[in-house]
Amino acid sequence: MRCERCDQGDRRPVQRAKLAERDGRVAVVLEVPMQECPACGERWLDWEVARRLDVMLNAMLARDVEVATRHYHETDLPAA
Ligand SMILES: [Zn+2]
């Protein structure tokens, strides 16, 4: 699918890390599936992916851990 932002590249599926920060704590979710434009770097997340990612990051930031990392495809969703 053509990138509607730059019209120079075709969106392609990639896996990237997403990071959130709150109160001095950092949460990183690895291998989040999304689409990316190789020309301008714009990224798109499906709504379902964004929602799951939000739940994961919030649960990770709620724990008393300075830096938390998880893989997106881990099957157990944290209690949110
Ligand atoms: Zn683009």
Side-chain angles (χ1 to χ4, degrees):
M1 191 189 302
R2 203 68 173 171
C3 173
E4 59 263 28
R5 182 174 173 220
C6 68
D7 203 33
Q8 299 293 311
D10 287 314
R11 293 158 62 156
R12 59 177 184 189
V14 295
Q15 293 191 335
R16 297 282 185 244
K18 293 288 280 185
L19 182 147
E21 194 172 357
R22 185 198 301 159
D23 299 334
R25 295 185 194 134
V26 177
V28 184
V29 176
L30 303 167
E31 298 176 342
V32 181
M34 62 186 78
Q35 294 196 324
E36 185 181 81
C37 170
C40 70
E42 183 79 355
R43 290 170 179 175
W44 296 265
L45 263 74
D46 288 343
W47 188 80
E48 284 289 331
V49 173
R51 189 178 61 169
R52 176 176 158 97
L53 184 65
D54 204 47
V55 170
M56 291 175 79
L57 289 170
N58 276 324
M60 290 158 74
L61 289 169
R63 293 162 53 205
D64 191 19
V65 179
E66 276 193 321
V67 180
T69 61
R70 285 184 58 135
H71 285 258
Y72 179 82
H73 290 291
E74 283 175 35
T75 49
D76 59 314
L77 258 182

